[in-house]
Amino acid sequence: MELLSQIMIMAVGAIFINNFVLAKFLGICPYLGVSKKLDSALGMGMAVIFVMTMASAITWLIQSYLLVPFNIEYLQTIAFILTIASLVQFVEMVIQKNAPALYKSLGVFLPLITTNCAVLGVAILNLTADNGLPYNFGFSILNGFFSGVGFTVVLVLMAGIREKLEYAELPASMKGMPIALIIAGSMALAFLGFAGLKF
Amino acid sequence: MTAMKEFTKGFIKENPVFILVLGMCPTLAVTSSVKDALGMGLSATFVLLCSNIIVSLIKGIVPTKIRIPMFIVVIATFVTIVDMAMAAFMPPLHKSLGLFIPLIVVNCIILGRAEAFASKNNVFMSVMDALGMGLGFTFALVVLGTIRELLGAGKILGFPILPQVYQDSPMLVAILAPGAFITLGFILAVINLLNKRGK
């Protein structure tokens, strides 16, 4: 029971209170770039959940069994970004070979994820463990997963709003990026309300 | 003459933040005060300068197929240097920028310039390009930081600007997460408007 409640707290924290996009400003580029259509937003979200979960697992292993034993923690940034880049490439190849249908829907988004700072961000944040949860393999993976879900929720919400926005009459200079940013701001304002949640 | 053009284009015509809308994560995250904005801008400029020099020096040696991972390793090396130097000499700034220093690695501006400019041009031109783009990025960050710090705290660089009455109850939302999105949204709208008038 103790474990289950810890996991619940982590899920709510990662998805709503410390949302990656709206509270921590990670993964803004895909958030603004891929949120024009609902389908592609959903595809991107799924790909990010998958890669963030995998990346959390692998970077945890690298940190605990490679960097710490050899006292080379200062190489963290280089090691992590290389791991993530090769992981994305590897995942892309595996999916292409074994699940062509999935590749068709996720394929185009996978290369974009390497430069998504949310992935590197979750790998580094997992190590700081400032969320008061124990730092171990299982929790790192769960944190990666829930952070990805948080990203997807916000991305899909944004895509829904922007699809409707196509029909709105806006001043010409507000069209496109400016209005998207202002809507993102309003969403962040709404998500700020979750900060009051206490357990 | 062309060197001067490469230098100045980063400020206005191809400003990475205001026109190209790249590198959004640090732009939104560290501009709650002018000091943080300046620190982030100059760190990114340093990394961009060094990586552009190295990339343009090794452009003949690197096989095209593995150029992106090579560029990332070069960038990650300089980011690690900045990270460690800042932790040693400016601990308070290091603490307030936090996660966003290692995340300079995935800043699309830096990889973008390496790929689009430095890998095709000589060292001198690449230096001019890096300085222009880097300082243009810093300029954009400082503009955003000035507006947000002025509205959110009534100060600029910690010096009180607005009367005490305002400082006692400032528009706090400007330095919180939503303020970042909304301020940038309005800046982009104004730039769109000016561009249209100019034509």
Side-chain angles (χ1 to χ4, degrees):
Chain A
M1 249 352 253
E2 180 68 17
L3 188 70
L4 202 65
S5 72
Q6 267 186 333
I7 292 175
M8 275 307 289
I9 290 173
M10 177 182 236
V12 173
I15 297 173
F16 296 113
I17 303 171
N18 288 320
N19 188 284
F20 250 55
V21 178
L22 297 175
K24 289 195 182 135
F25 297 114
L26 295 168
I28 306 278
C29 295
Y31 174 63
L32 293 172
V34 201
S35 60
K36 287 197 185 98
K37 279 171 86 185
L38 207 52
D39 302 343
S40 48
L42 210 56
M44 181 71 180
M46 292 301 147
V48 167
I49 293 180
F50 188 63
V51 173
M52 271 169 96
T53 314
M54 295 279 286
S56 298
I58 298 213
T59 50
W60 190 89
L61 293 173
I62 288 198
Q63 173 79 9
S64 316
Y65 291 106
L66 215 62
L67 299 184
V68 172
F70 291 107
N71 275 326
I72 46 172
E73 286 101 329
Y74 59 88
L75 286 180
Q76 198 186 52
T77 313
I78 302 180
F80 281 12
I81 190 71
L82 276 182
T83 321
I84 290 169
S86 22
L87 175 75
V88 171
Q89 198 97 54
F90 177 70
V91 166
E92 196 183 347
M93 288 194 297
V94 169
I95 294 183
Q96 192 175 15
K97 192 89 182 152
N98 296 327
L102 188 65
Y103 180 77
K104 241 184 179 166
S105 55
L106 291 190
V108 286
F109 304 111
L110 283 172
L112 291 176
I113 293 176
T114 320
T115 51
N116 184 342
C117 47
V119 180
L120 184 60
V122 80
I124 296 173
L125 280 176
N126 272 341
L127 304 177
T128 56
D130 58 349
N131 43 11
L133 291 161
Y135 168 58
N136 62 33
F137 191 54
F139 274 103
S140 288
I141 294 182
L142 279 176
N143 193 28
F145 175 74
F146 288 131
S147 303
V149 172
F151 174 83
T152 309
V153 167
V154 177
L155 185 67
V156 169
L157 278 175
M158 182 71 168
I161 297 176
R162 281 181 85 173
E163 278 197 345
K164 288 268 180 272
L165 206 66
E166 289 286 300
Y167 306 107
E169 278 186 38
L170 287 168
S173 51
M174 287 297 263
K175 272 188 187 141
M177 211 43 101
I179 193 70
L181 278 163
I182 289 167
I183 286 175
S186 324
M187 275 173 79
L189 209 54
F191 269 68
L192 213 55
F194 288 116
L197 277 182
K198 287 267 159 58
F199 293 97
Chain B
M1 220 38 229
T2 43
M4 208 53 215
K5 214 179 82 207
E6 298 301 349
F7 179 70
T8 52
K9 74 176 182 219
F11 278 89
I12 299 152
K13 225 172 81 206
E14 287 182 34
N15 188 294
V17 175
F18 292 152
I19 308 293
L20 306 178
V21 199
L22 288 175
M24 281 295 108
C25 302
T27 307
L28 295 169
V30 301
T31 50
S32 53
S33 74
V34 181
K35 199 164 135 262
D36 289 358
L38 210 55
M40 169 50 82
L42 294 179
S43 320
T45 308
F46 173 76
V47 174
L48 182 56
L49 181 61
C50 297
S51 74
N52 255 14
I53 292 174
I54 299 288
V55 165
S56 86
L57 283 175
I58 61 171
K59 65 173 182 284
I61 317 166
V62 180
T64 355
K65 270 191 187 152
I66 58 155
R67 66 182 195 287
I68 301 283
M70 288 295 296
F71 295 167
I72 291 181
V73 174
V74 170
I75 296 167
T77 311
F78 289 113
V79 170
T80 309
I81 293 172
V82 168
D83 194 8
M84 292 165 87
M86 201 184 273
F89 296 111
M90 289 174 275
L93 186 63
H94 185 260
K95 204 167 173 329
S96 68
L97 293 181
L99 176 64
F100 285 92
I101 302 168
L103 286 184
I104 297 176
V105 180
V106 281
N107 190 330
C108 359
I109 298 170
I110 296 174
L111 188 61
R113 291 330 286 174
E115 165 74 3
F117 197 92
S119 63
K120 296 192 185 85
N121 289 282
N122 63 28
V123 179
F124 179 65
M125 284 297 183
S126 303
V127 167
M128 289 316 249
D129 178 69
L131 283 178
M133 280 289 165
L135 293 176
F137 180 62
T138 313
F139 166 70
L141 255 59
V142 169
V143 168
L144 199 55
T146 310
I147 297 175
R148 287 181 66 194
E149 198 180 344
L150 191 64
L151 289 178
K155 299 173 180 173
I156 290 177
L157 273 170
F159 295 111
I161 301 286
L162 294 176
Q164 192 63 40
V165 187
Y166 186 84
Q167 281 181 45
D168 288 341
S169 57
M171 197 170 96
L172 203 57
V173 74
I175 47 173
L176 292 176
F181 288 107
I182 296 174
T183 313
L184 186 62
F186 279 116
I187 293 180
L188 290 184
V190 168
I191 287 173
N192 275 349
L193 195 67
L194 292 178
N195 270 350
K196 235 164 251 144
R197 288 269 164 83
K199 263 170 205 161

